[in-house]
Amino acid sequence: MPHSQTSAHRDSLKGVRLARGASPWLLPTVATAALSLVRARRSRRAAAIAVPTTALAAGMLWFFRDPEREIAQGRVVSPPTAWCRASCRGRTGGPGSPSS
């Protein structure tokens, strides 16, 4: 029996970690979103506040995620080297070196 999309999505989230140092920004934002969602059940005004705070918390969780990364095999593109080849012809130093 093949995996459903939700099962595959759930499996892809197993190894997701948050970046180090994210908690000072995430904890107050997520706590505010949770509180606003609880209060949203009581009034429409609180519900209007819950939508953007929850969206902000979700965006911050997405921004501060720290997925596993792999080093690419083969050629690696290096912008500083390519930039220097195009603009530093005849110079011996790199982009930050003083010119004579």
Side-chain angles (χ1 to χ4, degrees):
M1 182 177 206
H3 288 289
S4 66
Q5 277 187 321
T6 56
S7 173
H9 181 68
R10 191 176 337 112
D11 291 341
S12 69
L13 291 177
K14 276 185 179 178
V16 175
R17 299 175 315 196
L18 294 176
R20 191 178 320 169
S23 59
W25 290 277
L26 287 177
L27 291 177
T29 308
V30 171
T32 303
L35 181 64
S36 66
L37 286 172
V38 169
R39 294 182 77 191
R41 300 183 82 165
R42 296 187 185 146
S43 74
R44 293 180 61 87
R45 183 175 183 210
I49 294 171
V51 171
T53 57
T54 304
L56 177 65
M60 288 180 71
L61 283 168
W62 181 258
F63 178 80
F64 283 113
R65 66 189 170 87
D66 187 21
E68 291 292 324
R69 293 179 173 88
E70 296 178 14
I71 298 173
Q73 299 297 322
R75 294 182 134 179
V76 178
V77 178
S78 175
T81 305
W83 177 83
C84 189
R85 283 188 191 144
S87 64
C88 300
R89 293 188 182 150
R91 287 191 190 173
T92 57
S97 67
S99 59
S100 343

